[in-house]
Amino acid sequence: MKAALECAKKSSEDIPVGCVIIKDGEIIASAHNLKEKHLDVSAHAEILALKEASKKLNTWRLVECDLYVTLEPCPMCAWAILNSRIKNVYFGSYDLNYGAFGSKINLCELSNAKINIFGGILENECDNVIKEYFLRLRK
């Protein structure tokens, strides 16, 4: 999760969310939100990291991979994660407005995917990165 937090801090224009994908103990993909920079509604950290991991492994099936993200995935990202067949998802901050792995809705209930979800990992640190962003934005 610390690597995902470092990715989040690289996001200057967007809400600071970072994501890393790990296979066999090695980071194979990392990304942060680039929606504003790329003017692309789908440029969330999770989507970008999934694309990078798929290219590196030459497959969209990420069955032996784990995903770490600083904010609970939204429905778009959660569905992509479920379809990628990621094994485990670890997230930091709960997203009570848009969280799709249990906070607002749980897309796992609509899927046959065998996935493990773990929330609240380094939650305070992840919360603080987002809070600091919004404080700067409002100044």
Side-chain angles (χ1 to χ4, degrees):
M1 187 60 74
K2 290 185 179 190
L5 273 164
E6 289 306 312
C7 287
K9 293 174 184 176
K10 294 177 184 176
S11 184
S12 60
E13 297 175 37
D14 284 281
I15 295 174
V17 175
C19 181
V20 296
I21 297 177
I22 296 178
K23 182 174 185 204
D24 300 327
E26 178 187 336
I27 295 174
I28 62 165
S30 63
H32 60 278
N33 277 356
L34 291 171
K35 189 168 73 170
E36 294 295 332
K37 185 174 182 179
H38 290 180
L39 302 175
D40 179 354
V41 70
S42 69
H44 288 205
E46 301 95 321
I47 300 295
L48 297 171
L50 288 168
K51 287 180 179 185
E52 183 180 330
S54 293
K55 282 184 185 177
K56 184 163 189 173
L57 298 177
N58 198 33
T59 181
W60 59 267
R61 293 176 183 89
L62 304 176
V63 292
E64 294 301 319
C65 296
D66 297 327
L67 183 143
Y68 290 78
V69 63
T70 57
L71 180 64
E72 181 180 3
C74 70
M76 174 183 69
C77 294
W79 199 250
I81 291 165
L82 289 168
N83 280 282
S84 74
R85 301 188 175 128
I86 287 278
K87 186 176 183 180
N88 299 298
V89 172
Y90 302 89
F91 68 84
S93 297
Y94 289 88
D95 188 342
L96 302 178
N97 294 316
Y98 301 105
F101 280 143
S103 291
K104 187 68 173 182
I105 61 172
N106 189 349
L107 287 182
C108 293
E109 296 171 354
L110 299 176
S111 170
N112 291 328
K114 292 177 173 67
I115 189 169
N116 301 304
I117 309 292
F118 305 94
I121 312 299
L122 297 180
E123 184 176 6
N124 289 336
E125 291 92 330
C126 294
D127 286 349
N128 286 338
V129 170
I130 293 173
K131 286 176 187 175
E132 289 170 11
Y133 167 78
F134 282 111
L135 284 174
R136 283 192 315 271
L137 195 65
R138 290 183 181 114
K139 284 185 180 182

